[in-house]
């Protein structure tokens, strides 16, 4: 069925009903998508008309852009900005959204705001107070809110992942996006889900039926079983504990290498500040990188000379704001202990290139 297998929808409804403080109807308020990414595409296909504007909070998951523009939408950007000394270790909670800057980006063409928590790549878990500010803006300007919560099961004490759809007045205008791939480490299965009110889900379902019709059935069933088993055997708590250990290993490795970083409240990414890395001036880069921001060059050099691969986060910014990401590199700790230990050893080679 285009909605998804009943067992999987029922498992999701049972699991998420207490988290949304309401009894979810698996027939009308939950659909299965071909990964969270296709779910996002279906939302934009269902709701955007040519020229409609979609507000994105930078840095953002890079697939948002194509999903919006291929459906006639126009991305509009407002950045998170770090507060405090970024040459030292800071928390992801120190990355703040200026609510007045957000307001300034809204026009009569604005239709959707995309919200992401826990955040990729910053690792920020938005507080209730921050979400209330966003909720006020969304309601004031009658916007549809797309809440990307694919890392909803990965947040670290003392922080707690709150769901913006549970705030007063938000359920009726929010579609929440989830991911079996992120939750169970099965990204190749391409099974995600959308949760929201009947009228919004109905529109998305109409689009999804023409995009993929339905999601592969056996892996839907497997995700449904996984959700049932996770609830029964404490999987989520155990998984968080394992990721906390991995996070701490990578944080120590970055500290030992002399790189300050943003300590993540959630997800499995760490932004390291690479500003003090002194790459030899005569180092040769491939031609394709010559016009790219500094973080592309740093990540290329680290891969080649240090033996550790990271993502250049300026790719997660609009062209006009790429300078905000060029002093960082995104590292991931969704790795085996052996890989993290090998990375820690390799990162020590950075110490001779760090300016004090």
């Amino acid at each position: 069925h285009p909605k998804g297998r009943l067992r999987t929808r029922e498992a999701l409804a049972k699991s998420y009903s207490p988290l949304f403080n309401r009894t979810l109807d698996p027939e009308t308020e939950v659909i299965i998508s071909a990964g969270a990414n296709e779910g996002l595409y279906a939302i934009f296909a269902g709701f955007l008309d040519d020229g409609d504007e979609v507000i994105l909070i930078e840095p953002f998951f890079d697939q948002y852009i194509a999903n919006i523009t291929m459906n006639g939408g126009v991305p509009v950007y407002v950045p998170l900005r770090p507060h405090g000394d970024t040459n030292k270790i800071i928390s992801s909670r120190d990355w703040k959204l200026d609510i007045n800057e957000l307001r300034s980006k809204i026009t009569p063409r604005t239709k959707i705001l995309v919200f992401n928590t826990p955040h990729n790549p910053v690792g920020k878990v938005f507080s209730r107070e921050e979400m209330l500010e966003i909720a006020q803006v969304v309601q004031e300007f009658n916007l549809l809110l797309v809440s990307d919560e694919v890392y909803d099961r990965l947040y670290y004490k003392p922080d707690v992942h709150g769901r913006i759809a549970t705030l007063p007045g938000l359920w009726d205008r929010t579609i929440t996006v989830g991911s079996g791939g992120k939750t169970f480490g099965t990204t190749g299965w391409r099974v995600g889900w959308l949760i929201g009110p009947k009228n919004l889900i109905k529109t998305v379902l109409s689009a999804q039926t023409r995009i993929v019709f339905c999601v592969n059935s056996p892996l839907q069933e497997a995700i449904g079983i996984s959700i049932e088993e996770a609830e029964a055997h404490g999987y989520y708590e155990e998984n968080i504990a394992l990721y906390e250990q991995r996070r701490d290993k990578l944080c120590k490795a970055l500290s030992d290498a002399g790189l300050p970083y943003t300590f993540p409240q959630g997800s499995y990414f760490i932004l390291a500040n690479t500003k003090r890395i002194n790459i030899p001036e005569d180092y040769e880069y491939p031609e394709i990188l010559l016009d790219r921001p500094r973080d592309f060059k740093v990540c290329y050099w680290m891969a080649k000379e240090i033996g550790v691969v990271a993502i250049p986060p300026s790719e997660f910014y609009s062209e006009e704001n790429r300078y905000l990401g060029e002093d960082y590199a995104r590292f991931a700790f969704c790795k085996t202990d052996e890989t993290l230990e090998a990375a820690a050893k390799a990162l020590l080679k950075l110490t001779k290139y760090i300016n004090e």
Side-chain angles (χ1 to χ4, degrees), residues 2 172 224 248 255 300 331:
D172 289 335
D248 293 346
S255 292
Y300 176 87
F331 293 85

Side-chain angles (χ1 to χ4, degrees), residues 108-176:
R109 296 299 312 229
T110 307
K111 182 174 281 187
I112 297 175
L113 186 149
V114 179
F115 176 63
N116 174 213
T117 186
H119 188 274
N120 169 21
V122 173
K124 180 180 178 67
V125 174
F126 281 77
S127 68
R128 180 178 175 83
E129 292 70 28
E130 291 171 315
M131 291 194 294
L132 282 169
E133 285 189 325
I134 293 169
Q136 183 177 350
V137 172
V138 166
Q139 293 179 88
E140 180 181 340
F141 292 97
N142 193 29
L143 304 180
L144 172 64
L145 182 67
V146 177
S147 188
D148 179 353
E149 301 182 22
V150 297
Y151 300 101
D152 69 333
R153 301 291 189 172
L154 278 179
Y155 55 88
Y156 309 112
K157 295 177 182 177
D159 292 285
V160 176
H161 169 62
R163 298 174 193 278
I164 198 166
T166 65
L167 298 182
L170 265 286
W171 168 256
D172 289 335
R173 61 176 68 247
T174 303
I175 300 174
T176 301

Side-chain angles (χ1 to χ4, degrees), residues 5 37 46 55 87 121 127 166 185 197 200 207 223-224 251 270 292 297 317 329 333:
R5 289 187 66 82
N37 190 38
I55 293 182
N87 291 311
S127 68
T166 65
L200 299 183
I223 288 292
C251 286
I270 298 176
R292 302 305 292 267
K297 299 181 177 70
Y317 285 86
F333 53 91

Side-chain angles (χ1 to χ4, degrees), residues 37 40-41 43-44 48 52-70 73-81 96-99 101-107 109-117 119-121 126 134 137-138 143-148 177 314-322 324:
N37 190 38
L40 286 161
Y41 185 92
I43 293 170
F44 298 130
L48 290 179
D52 285 345
E53 294 175 353
V54 181
I55 293 182
L56 300 178
I57 298 171
E58 297 177 292
F60 50 77
F61 176 50
D62 56 353
Q63 290 277 29
Y64 293 161
I65 301 299
N67 288 348
I68 293 166
T69 57
M70 289 174 70
V74 178
V76 176
Y77 309 98
V78 57
L80 293 172
R81 301 180 190 274
K96 302 288 188 180
L97 177 69
D98 184 331
I99 205 70
E101 187 174 7
L102 170 61
R103 285 177 174 276
S104 74
K105 299 297 179 74
I106 296 174
T107 76
R109 296 299 312 229
T110 307
K111 182 174 281 187
I112 297 175
L113 186 149
V114 179
F115 176 63
N116 174 213
T117 186
H119 188 274
N120 169 21
F126 281 77
I134 293 169
V137 172
V138 166
L143 304 180
L144 172 64
L145 182 67
V146 177
S147 188
D148 179 353
V177 183
S314 67
E315 188 71 2
F316 302 152
Y317 285 86
S318 59
E319 188 171 349
E320 61 265 31
N321 286 332
R322 280 184 179 160
L324 294 172

Side-chain angles (χ1 to χ4, degrees), residues 105-301:
K105 299 297 179 74
I106 296 174
T107 76
R109 296 299 312 229
T110 307
K111 182 174 281 187
I112 297 175
L113 186 149
V114 179
F115 176 63
N116 174 213
T117 186
H119 188 274
N120 169 21
V122 173
K124 180 180 178 67
V125 174
F126 281 77
S127 68
R128 180 178 175 83
E129 292 70 28
E130 291 171 315
M131 291 194 294
L132 282 169
E133 285 189 325
I134 293 169
Q136 183 177 350
V137 172
V138 166
Q139 293 179 88
E140 180 181 340
F141 292 97
N142 193 29
L143 304 180
L144 172 64
L145 182 67
V146 177
S147 188
D148 179 353
E149 301 182 22
V150 297
Y151 300 101
D152 69 333
R153 301 291 189 172
L154 278 179
Y155 55 88
Y156 309 112
K157 295 177 182 177
D159 292 285
V160 176
H161 169 62
R163 298 174 193 278
I164 198 166
T166 65
L167 298 182
L170 265 286
W171 168 256
D172 289 335
R173 61 176 68 247
T174 303
I175 300 174
T176 301
V177 183
S179 167
K182 297 297 189 294
T183 301
F184 298 109
T186 56
T187 53
W189 289 13
R190 312 312 304 154
V191 178
W193 51 82
L194 306 176
I195 296 173
K198 177 180 178 179
N199 62 314
L200 299 183
I201 292 298
K202 181 180 178 181
T203 299
V204 179
L205 179 61
S206 296
Q208 173 163 289
T209 303
R210 303 304 169 206
I211 297 168
V212 294
F213 185 75
C214 68
V215 182
N216 76 82
S217 195
L219 295 179
Q220 280 192 66
E221 191 78 359
I223 288 292
I225 294 168
S226 297
I227 294 166
E228 294 166 356
E229 292 296 312
E231 296 285 348
H233 298 288
Y235 165 79
Y236 300 122
E237 297 79 9
E238 181 181 336
N239 201 42
I240 286 172
L242 288 171
Y243 272 99
E244 283 178 333
Q245 294 173 17
R246 293 166 180 160
R247 177 198 61 186
D248 293 346
K249 280 188 176 184
L250 183 53
C251 286
K252 183 179 186 303
L254 293 169
S255 292
D256 291 347
L259 292 181
Y261 55 85
T262 295
F263 188 75
Q265 299 162 275
S267 81
Y268 43 60
F269 302 112
I270 298 176
L271 282 184
N273 188 326
T274 61
K275 190 173 183 178
R276 292 193 299 158
I277 295 178
N278 183 29
I279 299 173
E281 292 184 6
D282 59 351
Y283 192 79
E284 293 188 7
Y285 300 98
E287 185 176 351
I288 195 172
L289 292 184
L290 296 182
D291 295 328
R292 302 305 292 267
R294 179 179 180 272
D295 57 323
F296 273 81
K297 299 181 177 70
V298 170
C299 288
Y300 176 87
W301 174 83

